[in-house]
Amino acid sequence: MEAKGVMDAADKMVAPLSGSSGQTVDKSSGHPEYHESPYRWVIIGLLSFSYLMVYVHRMCPAVLAQDLIQSFNATGAMAGLMASAYFYPYALMQVPSGILADKLGPRLLVTICMIVASVGSVLFSLADTVTTAFMARVLVGLGLSAVLVPSYKALTAWFSTKRYVMATSIVISVAGLGGVVAGSPLGWLSEQIGWRGSFQVIAGMTFATAILVWLLVRNKPQDFNLPAVEPTRTPAGPVKSMPIGQSFGTILGSLDFWLMAVWFFFNGAILFSFAGLWSGPYFMQVYGMSKTTAGNFINIFSFGWIFGPLLFGWLATRFPSNSRILGGSMSGMALLCLWIYLRNGSMAVIELYTFNTLFGLLGAGPAGVCFAAVKERFPLQIAGTATGLLYVFPMAGSALYQPLAGAILDRSGHLKSGLGAEDFSILFIVYVVSCALAGLAGFMLHRKNTAEIDLMAGAPATE
């Protein structure tokens, strides 16, 4: 009864903001009146900020890597493993989170998981051994694992099909600000209160976000007695769910799914192993930067993440070929990694700024296009499951490449005494090859039309 009272109170508080009139039917026609509510911007704003906090947690090891290595007397592989502990549960939970998003709804799922992440961040700040730090990061990853997929699920109800790509791109763009927060501001904060105090501040921000999501977010417009955005996205009657076995068979039997999985695996692996962890030591040890200066350069990645998704979302609305966008972006990443390999340790400041901007732009920019490609290829009732399955792969790539990069750097024997440019050469070669493979997978992706999706769902094809 108490829980119901809290939910009713929250509904009464928020309903006026939604513009709800309690009228969802056009009486003159007898059919539902479909349109997008202005309240969708509150929904996307809060869900975007939630994913921003995911990026803060994900990217903070880069600027704090040296502190963690010194505090725990860790090797490169150990530091990579400790940072990547976030990604293991994150990857494993993507399928369950997709199913839970379909069954339980985004509001409750995001709220609970953000609270779990805040607890994990506090425990990490109190850790005194690598083992306890590893387990705390596992808890953080477990909590944050069910934020993006449920958020995208909610956006399918609040935004029309033609605006969905841009909506998903906005989420990723706003999340890019999390990378800014985890750059020089976090570097400055850690210099003031230490890395442990910094993680406690992050935990407080995460908890506050969870409360706001619970109070203000709803799974669909109908929860406010608002009309659905369009008949094909949220029909008035109940939607018949697809059995889990059939869902998995439909998804895993698709060649396009596996091509997108390969693309996303290497995309996440390169993006988060370098920008999310080893870029900090690279800038500080190879170029002799201070923590704050290195944080400023790490921030540049984030500006690419902020504007990249908007740029690629705009391109996707004007050019129908997802394969060219996905293949071209990772081919561009391969050229970038070749550039830093050839100019390793010798880049001028303007070159570093240019490299970091393009790295963030091409790395994070097309992610929304890839998620939209999933939505185009699978029925709505398994959209959450398909998105969750796909999102396993960038997290798995990140979990593998962060410690792999650390192990490569350990071979030099210079991790604690000071890494040189040549110590990163092998790592950059690995990046070039990985990006080339992802680009090839992207170019092999073919376009699927709406009629094919309707037939997959067992529904009559529509024009």
Side-chain angles (χ1 to χ4, degrees):
M1 293 295 292
E2 292 181 0
K4 186 178 186 299
V6 171
M7 293 178 66
D8 291 342
D11 288 341
K12 291 177 181 178
M13 178 181 71
V14 178
L17 300 175
S18 69
S20 172
S21 64
Q23 184 73 28
T24 63
V25 177
D26 181 352
K27 296 297 184 180
S28 63
S29 64
H31 295 288
E33 180 183 290
Y34 302 104
H35 65 81
E36 293 175 314
S37 165
Y39 195 73
R40 71 189 187 277
W41 298 113
V42 176
I43 300 296
I44 195 174
L46 282 170
L47 294 177
S48 296
F49 191 80
S50 299
Y51 197 49
L52 179 151
M53 291 307 304
V54 172
Y55 261 62
V56 171
H57 284 277
R58 185 179 297 171
M59 300 299 296
C60 62
V63 75
L64 301 178
Q66 288 298 114
D67 291 334
L68 299 177
I69 290 172
Q70 293 172 3
S71 294
F72 295 102
N73 193 29
T75 64
M78 289 171 62
L81 188 64
M82 187 163 47
S84 69
Y86 165 101
F87 292 103
Y88 294 110
Y90 202 111
L92 293 175
M93 278 297 296
Q94 290 315 296
V95 176
S97 70
I99 295 172
L100 289 173
D102 289 336
K103 302 296 182 182
L104 302 180
R107 180 194 180 200
L108 178 61
L109 200 53
V110 172
T111 300
I112 292 175
C113 289
M114 293 290 281
I115 292 174
V116 171
S118 68
V119 173
S121 188
V122 170
L123 294 177
F124 187 81
S125 73
L126 301 175
D128 55 1
T129 66
V130 171
T131 301
T132 53
F134 180 90
M135 296 307 299
R137 284 288 287 178
V138 167
L139 190 61
V140 172
L142 180 65
L144 298 177
S145 64
V147 174
L148 183 62
V149 172
S151 295
Y152 281 176
K153 177 69 175 180
L155 296 184
T156 63
W158 284 93
F159 285 82
S160 64
T161 299
K162 67 179 180 180
R163 293 187 176 93
Y164 182 78
V165 173
M166 184 56 70
T168 59
S169 298
I170 288 172
V171 172
I172 298 174
S173 292
V174 173
L177 292 172
V180 175
V181 173
S184 54
L186 181 60
W188 175 86
L189 183 63
S190 69
E191 290 176 344
Q192 307 305 310
I193 63 176
W195 70 266
R196 296 182 186 274
S198 299
F199 273 99
Q200 291 169 6
V201 170
I202 292 172
M205 293 174 62
T206 306
F207 184 81
T209 304
I211 299 304
L212 289 174
V213 168
W214 175 254
L215 292 176
L216 300 176
V217 170
R218 295 298 182 271
N219 298 331
K220 56 186 183 298
Q222 293 92 319
D223 292 343
F224 279 137
N225 291 324
L226 292 168
V229 298
E230 56 190 7
T232 57
R233 300 299 300 161
T234 49
V239 178
K240 183 179 179 180
S241 61
M242 186 180 294
I244 292 179
Q246 183 181 350
S247 300
F248 275 65
T250 299
I251 297 165
L252 298 180
S254 168
L255 175 61
D256 277 0
F257 173 82
W258 289 108
L259 291 172
M260 289 184 287
V262 170
W263 184 93
F264 236 154
F265 176 88
F266 289 117
N267 174 269
I270 306 306
L271 191 62
F272 294 116
S273 68
F274 187 65
L277 181 59
W278 293 110
S279 61
Y282 180 72
F283 295 138
M284 284 186 270
Q285 296 189 29
V286 175
Y287 287 92
M289 299 180 186
S290 67
K291 185 190 299 183
T292 302
T293 302
N296 288 331
F297 276 89
I298 292 171
N299 283 350
I300 304 303
F301 290 128
S302 301
F303 287 118
W305 294 342
I306 293 167
F307 298 107
L310 297 176
L311 172 62
F312 280 94
W314 177 83
L315 289 173
T317 61
R318 284 155 178 79
F319 302 98
S321 176
N322 290 330
S323 65
R324 292 181 181 178
I325 293 175
L326 297 177
S329 63
M330 289 307 290
S331 297
M333 284 284 282
L335 293 176
L336 279 178
C337 292
L338 181 61
W339 179 24
I340 198 173
Y341 169 75
L342 295 174
R343 296 282 295 154
N344 189 10
S346 302
M347 283 186 166
V349 171
I350 188 64
E351 287 182 276
L352 289 173
Y353 276 121
T354 303
F355 173 84
N356 287 11
T357 300
L358 293 175
F359 191 92
L361 188 76
L362 295 176
V369 176
C370 194
F371 282 120
V374 173
K375 186 179 74 71
E376 292 173 2
R377 286 161 172 78
F378 298 103
L380 177 61
Q381 59 265 46
I382 61 171
T385 304
T387 304
L389 276 170
L390 181 66
Y391 205 43
V392 168
F393 291 89
M395 298 302 103
S398 303
L400 176 63
Y401 269 54
Q402 283 192 342
L404 174 64
I408 290 173
L409 296 175
D410 274 336
R411 295 184 60 192
S412 69
H414 303 148
L415 184 65
K416 296 181 181 179
S417 62
L419 292 165
E422 66 280 359
D423 298 324
F424 283 85
S425 295
I426 296 177
L427 181 60
F428 292 148
I429 292 174
V430 171
Y431 286 170
V432 171
V433 174
S434 300
C435 290
L437 291 173
L440 179 61
F443 281 124
M444 292 175 64
L445 194 66
H446 79 281
R447 187 181 178 190
K448 185 173 289 263
N449 58 44
T450 304
E452 289 178 284
I453 300 170
D454 291 332
L455 290 173
M456 288 169 61
T462 57
E463 296 183 359

